[in-house]
Structures are given as C-alpha cells and as structure tokens.
Amino acid sequence: VTRGGVVLRPYQEECIQAVSDSFNNKQSCLVVMATGLGKTVIASEVIRRRGGRSLWVAHRSELIEQAESTISKLVGVTPQVEMAERKAFEFFGTNGCVVGSVQTLNAMRNGKKRMNKFEPKFFNTLVTDEAHHAVAKSWKSIADYFTTNNDLKHLGITATPDRSDELALGQIYQDCAFRYDIEDGVKDAWLVPIHVN
C-alpha cells in the first residue's frame, strides 16, 4: 500500500522492482505498459522510493495535470510546475518534484533554455512520460542535458512504441526493464477483453 490508499497491483510491484534492478547498473530504462494499467502510479512510486528531487516531463497539459495530482497523492509532495506562465522555484528542500512540459523546458529565455535554470545535479530522477517521443529533438535535448549528471536515473514510460520506435528508443534507454501489454492485462483480468463490432 502506498500513500493515498492506493494498493499496488502485483504486476505494478513487479515493474517497480524491475526498474530498481535496472537502475542498479544502468542509467536509463523503459517501461512499456498498455493504457489503463497505471504507468503514472508506477512512476510516482519509483519517485517516492528513490527519494530526492525528480523532474517529470510530458508534452500535453492534461498529462502534466495528471502527474501533478498523482504525485501529490502518492509521493506526498506537491510538485511545482514548469509550464507556460507557471514557474517552478529553483530551490526547494532535499525532496521535491518539478513537472514540466517539453515545450516550456525548451523555450528560450534571455538566450538560454528554461531547463537551464536547473543544474543537472539538482535532480536524481528524470521521468519521461509518453517516452516513444524521446528520440525527437526537443525531448532528446532534455534527456541529454540532465543525464550529464551520472547519478541521475532516467525512467521512460509509454503505452505502445511501434517497432521502429523501439529500435530508436535504444539510443535513449539502455534497457526495457518491464513490458506488460494489453494481452497480459486482459489475461490477468486487469483489463476487459476488446470486442470489435
């Protein structure tokens, strides 16, 4: 059981352990999990267990808001948001989370990208939501900047990378730590079977 009364499902616990194991000897790993199986919950729990400061990156405001809400409930810290006119403080205790949009972090301000206000060593965990986008230039620039901190661990989460994505994602993520597809979710009764009329 995590904070907020959420009970982790067995595959979620298995996934969190797989990420932890991967981080023992790799800087980055990917989790591929079908929609509706709790990727945000899993990544939030990874953040909680790792402690320290984390940066969560997404590209749509609804994903930013979903992460903000889930992290608040499960991690017990209210994330600061770096998106459009919302600005995170550069300084906050030893635990905390910034949820930022890819577009905002790459936006130029006074000749520097907004992400540059944070030193790479400021964070110990980077979470990339919708990680199948990670090879795109704007996403890659964020990962490249923060992973210059060798102590930072980078978790990517995505529902369905296609095969060409998966090959390319090997440039960003050293390991696919865990995969749980629609078929697995249906077989284990976490998802209802798909019916096509």
Side-chain angles (χ1 to χ4, degrees), residues 39-44 47 54-58 63-64 67 70-71 97-101 105 123 125-129 157:
K39 291 182 295 297
T40 307
V41 167
I42 286 165
S44 295
I47 286 173
S54 54
L55 172 63
W56 185 298
V57 180
L63 294 173
I64 300 276
T70 304
I71 292 164
C97 182
V98 173
V99 180
S101 81
L105 291 167
F123 298 110
T125 308
L126 170 63
V127 174
T128 303
D129 199 349
I157 54 176

Side-chain angles (χ1 to χ4, degrees), residues 35-51:
T35 301
L37 291 170
K39 291 182 295 297
T40 307
V41 167
I42 286 165
S44 295
E45 183 63 9
V46 167
I47 286 173
R48 188 185 75 77
R49 292 184 187 184
R50 285 186 50 73

Side-chain angles (χ1 to χ4, degrees), residues 129-144:
D129 199 349
E130 302 279 307
H132 51 277
H133 295 295
V135 290
K137 189 178 172 201
S138 58
W139 293 73
K140 193 170 181 312
S141 70
I142 295 169
D144 288 348

